[in-house]
């Protein structure tokens, strides 16, 4: 018997599989509403102008590609810390936060999860139902226990705030709660600022630790506005983890720019916590790839590029909102009882289509409109060119 012959194959990731199916499909009308990637009005994932300019600057001016350190690019860490916490946040001034570059949102969550396995090995990680499937995959992979809390009713198109709190009453002191900082992936349903306040008080009282996953800062209401949960929770709670991604808001998906930030009760505790994270980083990949982070750092410290980037984020957000409105308008015309109104007020790229599983399969198999099997669609995949095809196809399900 060989050592490696005992395994059986595991299935593809449910999100990445959609891209494979989409690429293999020959239907000229095919539409990709799968993986969370922004597309412009032509259905194209273009490089932002601010990013191109920063890349050109680096080509012309970067002098060395010598090693940095496990914490990555220090200018990036400083710049994204300010993006997350704002200027002069008390935890920054008190030396209670350490922000370390990591490869994308996923790499950041992974470092946070590995850190929890060392610091709180008995903690249960509470994960929203529904969520981004990788939250479970990562917690399982590092060997942490997980449980889910109700968050959104897919069938009714309804956010379940009270049910969320109800379920979290079962969490014990020291348990960790993964929350989506803005633009909940997969429902697009976010807490209001008032609900965030209530959640923070609830967690402080029960000594729960928030693990904020923020991958879409700027896609809900604006770069500053979308940092509300991070800034407020860091004031109200002594300890938290924040995994941030710059894949979406800088449209640099493949460059893997992200960061893990830890907030600790004291500056001294924070140094110790950061030292563990740096040890974890060193043992996995030693140091994160620099290019994406160097681009983000350059844009954020250059006034005119920063302004341009804000504008580009506003444009991306505006286009997705426009598609949400257009989708609901067309569905209301084509199938008045289809009931998709809730989609207008949701945030970011994703929403669920409240359809039956077999209707979703029909859209995928018969119309080549690709989405997750649970009905999660990437609204940024809609364009003026494909919206009639998509809404006609969905409307036909209501006529049958
Ligand atoms: C998604 O949810 O589609 C994105 O976050 C991409 C990914 O890595 O899954």
């Amino acid at each position: 018997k060989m050592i490696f012959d005992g395994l059986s194959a595991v299935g593809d990731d449910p999100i990445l599989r959609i891209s494979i199916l989409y690429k293999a499909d020959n239907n000229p009308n095919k539409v990709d509403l799968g993986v969370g990637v922004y597309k412009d009005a032509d259905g194209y994932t273009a490089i932002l102008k601010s990013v191109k300019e920063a890349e050109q600057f680096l080509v012309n001016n970067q002098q060395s590609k010598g090693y940095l350190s496990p914490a990555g690019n220090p200018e990036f860490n400083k710049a994204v810390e300010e993006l997350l916490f704002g200027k002069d946040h008390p935890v920054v001034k008190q030396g209670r936060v350490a922000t370390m570059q990591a490869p994308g949102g996923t790499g950041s969550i992974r470092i946070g999860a590995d850190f929890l396995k060392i610091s709180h090995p008995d903690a249960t990680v509470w994960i929203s139902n529904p969520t981004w499937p990788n939250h479970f995959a990562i917690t399982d992979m590092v060997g942490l226990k997980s449980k889910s809390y109700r968050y959104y009713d897919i069938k009714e198109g309804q956010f379940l705030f009270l049910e969320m709190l109800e379920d979290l009453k079962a969490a014990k002191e020291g348990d960790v709660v993964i929350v989506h900082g803005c633009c909940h992936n997969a429902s697009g349903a976010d807490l209001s600022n008032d609900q965030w306040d209530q959640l923070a008080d609830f967690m402080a009282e029960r000594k729960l630790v928030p693990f904020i996953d923020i991958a879409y800062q700027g896609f809900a209401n604006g770069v500053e506005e979308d940092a509300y949960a991070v800034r407020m929770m860091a004031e109200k709670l002594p300890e938290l983890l924040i995994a941030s991604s710059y894949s979406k808001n800088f449209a640099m998906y493949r460059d893997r720019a992200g960061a893990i930030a830890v907030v600790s009760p004291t500056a001294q505790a924070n140094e110790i916590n950061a030292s563990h994270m740096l040890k974890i980083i060193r043992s996995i990949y030693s140091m994160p790839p620099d290019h994406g982070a160097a681009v983000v750092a350059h844009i954020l410290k250059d006034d005119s590029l920063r302004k341009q980037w804000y504008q580009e984020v506003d444009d991306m957000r505006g286009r997705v909102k426009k598609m949400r409105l257009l989708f609901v308008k067309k569905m209301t015309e084509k199938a008045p009882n289809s009931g998709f109104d809730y989609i207008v007020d949701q945030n970011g790229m994703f929403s669920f289509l409240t359809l039956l599983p077999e209707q979703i399969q029909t859209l995928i198999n018969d119309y080549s409109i690709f989405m997750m099997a649970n009905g999660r669609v990437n609204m940024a995949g809609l364009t003026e060119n494909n919206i009639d095809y998509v809404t006609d196809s969905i409307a036909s399900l209501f006529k049958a």
Side-chain angles (χ1 to χ4, degrees):
K1 187 167 159 43
M2 302 301 289
I3 293 169
F4 293 162
D5 72 353
L7 297 173
S8 45
V10 289
D12 294 327
D13 176 89
I15 296 175
L16 303 182
R17 182 173 54 223
I18 308 171
S19 305
I20 298 169
L21 295 175
Y22 174 78
K23 279 198 187 109
D25 192 281
N26 293 323
N27 184 340
N29 294 324
K30 66 182 177 177
V31 180
D32 182 9
L33 305 180
V35 65
V37 169
Y38 177 80
K39 292 178 190 146
D40 62 18
D42 298 319
Y44 191 66
T45 303
I47 299 175
L48 300 186
K49 288 201 181 73
S50 52
V51 167
K52 263 287 187 220
E53 226 176 279
E55 289 187 312
Q56 196 57 55
F57 176 89
L58 291 178
V59 167
N60 296 342
N61 295 286
Q62 198 171 39
Q63 299 299 330
S64 171
K65 287 197 184 280
Y67 285 128
L68 288 172
S69 79
N73 187 312
E75 291 186 334
F76 169 85
N77 291 337
K78 193 161 169 277
V80 299
E81 193 170 275
E82 194 181 310
L83 214 53
L84 291 166
F85 293 89
K87 269 201 169 59
D88 304 322
H89 194 288
V91 292
V92 177
K93 284 204 278 195
Q94 293 157 6
R96 288 175 42 218
V97 55
T99 304
M100 287 154 272
Q101 188 201 331
T106 304
S108 309
I109 298 169
R110 176 59 191 253
I111 301 303
D114 273 315
F115 172 74
L116 288 172
K117 182 69 184 165
I118 293 169
S119 60
H120 293 45
D122 298 325
T124 295
V125 179
W126 292 78
I127 298 176
S128 72
N129 177 21
T131 194
W132 183 52
N134 224 6
H135 285 156
F136 283 106
I138 295 169
T139 35
D140 285 355
M141 197 59 97
V142 304
L144 284 165
K145 289 190 291 283
S146 62
K147 278 196 180 140
S148 59
Y149 60 85
R150 281 173 292 168
Y151 185 85
Y152 184 81
D153 184 334
I154 301 177
K155 263 208 206 127
E156 300 295 328
Q158 227 164 41
F159 174 42
L160 304 174
F161 184 61
L162 294 177
E163 290 81 351
M164 171 184 188
L165 295 184
E166 191 57 40
D167 289 354
L168 290 176
K169 281 185 187 155
K172 58 185 193 307
E173 187 176 322
D175 277 0
V176 176
V177 183
I178 298 186
V179 290
H180 301 227
C182 72
C183 306
H184 182 266
N185 178 4
S187 66
D190 285 340
L191 284 75
S192 65
N193 288 355
D194 185 48
Q195 288 168 331
W196 277 119
D197 292 344
Q198 287 181 52
L199 180 67
D201 293 339
F202 175 97
M203 291 180 71
E205 200 178 301
R206 288 180 159 72
K207 298 196 165 52
L208 305 177
V209 181
F211 189 162
I212 305 179
D213 175 4
I214 178 160
Y216 294 87
Q217 189 177 350
F219 279 83
N221 297 303
V223 172
E224 293 299 314
E225 292 84 341
D226 294 354
Y228 182 80
V230 171
R231 295 174 190 181
M232 179 275 299
M233 283 195 148
E235 287 205 33
K236 286 198 176 177
L237 288 131
E239 299 185 294
L240 60 155
L241 290 169
I242 300 140
S244 57
S245 167
Y246 303 91
S247 300
K248 326 274 173 169
N249 51 13
F250 283 82
M252 284 201 301
Y253 303 87
R254 65 179 68 165
D255 286 321
R256 315 306 299 142
I260 178 73
V262 56
V263 175
S264 315
T266 62
Q268 202 186 9
N270 206 60
E271 256 178 55
I272 296 170
N273 290 337
S275 76
H276 283 276
M277 291 204 174
L278 295 172
K279 186 176 173 199
I280 294 165
I281 291 171
R282 174 68 169 149
S283 74
I284 306 181
Y285 50 79
S286 186
M287 296 171 204
D290 181 62
H291 179 75
V295 168
V296 170
H298 182 67
I299 292 173
L300 292 178
K301 72 170 195 246
D302 180 293
D303 279 346
S304 101
L305 283 181
R306 189 184 173 104
K307 261 201 204 118
Q308 187 176 348
W309 172 69
Y310 266 81
Q311 185 57 53
E312 292 184 290
V313 175
D314 287 352
D315 292 347
M316 291 192 278
R317 179 179 66 251
R319 202 191 83 74
V320 182
K321 281 194 190 292
K322 199 170 126 197
M323 286 301 120
R324 287 179 176 279
L325 276 166
L326 194 58
F327 175 82
V328 172
K329 180 170 173 278
K330 291 201 180 258
M331 284 312 307
T332 311
E333 284 162 16
K334 294 175 187 185
N337 297 325
S338 52
F340 288 115
D341 292 4
Y342 63 90
I343 286 180
V344 173
D345 295 325
Q346 294 179 335
N347 289 329
M349 292 194 196
F350 306 114
S351 280
F352 282 107
L353 297 183
T354 49
L355 294 171
L356 299 169
E358 52 273 26
Q359 293 176 312
I360 293 164
Q361 284 313 313
T362 303
L363 290 174
I364 298 172
N365 299 331
D366 298 359
Y367 294 94
S368 305
I369 299 173
F370 290 88
M371 63 188 74
M372 287 185 73
N374 60 10
R376 189 197 81 167
V377 284
N378 172 18
M379 301 301 295
L382 294 174
T383 65
E384 308 261 354
N385 291 326
N386 66 24
I387 190 121
D388 276 310
Y389 177 67
V390 171
T391 49
D392 285 339
S393 305
I394 298 173
S396 74
L397 304 173
F398 290 87
K399 285 179 193 128

